[in-house]
Amino acid sequence: MTALPPALDKVATLLSRLPGVGKRSALRWAFHILGEPPSYARELQQALAELMQHVRFCSECHHLAEDERCPICRDPARDPTLLCIVEGVPDLLALERTGSYRGRYHVLHGALAPLKGIGPAQLRLGNLEERIANQGVSEVILATSADVEGEATALYLAKRLAPTGVNVTRIATGIPMGGELEYLDDHTLSRAIAGRIRFG
Ligand SMILES: [Zn+2]
């Protein structure tokens, strides 16, 4: 990008650091911003500044928030006895989209991955036991991913929470809607049979 004015090159370089954005798309976006009325760049600048200034982590569940506590933790209609542990904010948003969960959350911001240097201390676990005790939590739902790291995290949490006496459950994994048994991998199928539920 050396034939470009340095200011344009800088914007393109910064944009290219976003996930899924290559150098060429980044440059196309930078050109696009330049072609918009100046008010657009000002609004973008302002919005980014406000994002960094106002958005932080909820002191209880570690979801994103603009206040000390996020709207879910502040909502008196949410069931405080149910606590769903997720790896990240996108997982929380996915569960919220279903509209079928009315409890609260605890966002870890990661999963255990010893080979990448991510142990329990790197996850947002410090206030978990305190929340369970103080908020009268009766069930903790482990909604970490069904991959190696997610499973390891779920196992760790189940063991760690055993002394609290709280009921620990794991989200069911298995057959997707429309899925045919003969095409499922062995691991998915064995989890599905192990996690079967009463029917009818
Ligand atoms: Zn919260």
Side-chain angles (χ1 to χ4, degrees):
M1 294 182 188
T2 45
L4 293 171
L8 185 66
D9 184 55
K10 186 167 184 183
V11 171
T13 303
L14 286 170
L15 289 172
S16 72
R17 277 168 49 182
L18 296 172
V21 181
K23 280 261 171 189
R24 283 171 61 165
S25 317
L27 191 56
R28 207 152 39 89
W29 290 7
F31 274 123
H32 186 81
I33 293 167
L34 197 58
E36 288 282 305
S39 60
Y40 177 71
R42 271 200 302 277
E43 259 183 80
L44 189 62
Q45 184 184 13
Q46 177 89 20
L48 288 173
E50 282 176 14
L51 174 72
M52 298 319 290
Q53 202 179 337
H54 299 304
V55 179
R56 50 177 159 161
F57 296 119
C58 170
S59 63
E60 276 186 40
C61 74
H62 313 296
H63 178 29
L64 299 175
E66 286 208 355
D67 298 292
E68 174 75 13
R69 291 161 79 228
C70 74
I72 296 175
C73 286
R74 290 202 315 265
D75 184 353
R78 306 288 301 218
D79 185 351
T81 68
L82 277 179
L83 193 67
C84 180
I85 304 186
V86 292
E87 289 176 26
V89 171
D91 306 321
L92 179 154
L93 297 178
L95 282 164
E96 284 296 287
R97 274 198 303 275
T98 69
S100 57
Y101 178 67
R102 297 300 299 160
R104 296 205 171 128
Y105 293 94
H106 194 92
V107 187
L108 300 176
H109 293 277
L112 292 180
L115 295 178
K116 293 181 195 161
I118 303 173
Q122 277 68 48
L123 303 180
R124 301 225 171 201
L125 283 167
N127 64 335
L128 182 60
E129 281 89 348
E130 184 191 312
R131 287 190 74 195
I132 291 168
N134 294 350
Q135 295 173 15
V137 173
S138 61
E139 181 181 352
V140 169
I141 304 162
L142 303 175
T144 53
S145 301
D147 56 16
V148 176
E149 294 173 0
E151 292 288 341
T153 307
L155 280 173
Y156 168 80
L157 288 171
K159 208 180 228 179
R160 172 168 165 153
L161 296 178
T164 68
V166 74
N167 281 317
V168 178
T169 57
R170 177 91 170 99
I171 50 164
T173 53
I175 307 160
M177 290 304 285
E180 293 180 44
L181 290 203
E182 64 173 311
Y183 299 118
L184 291 177
D185 64 276
D186 296 352
H187 185 65
T188 302
L189 198 51
S190 64
R191 278 296 300 266
I193 195 86
R196 65 191 180 279
I197 55 169
R198 186 172 292 281
F199 186 68

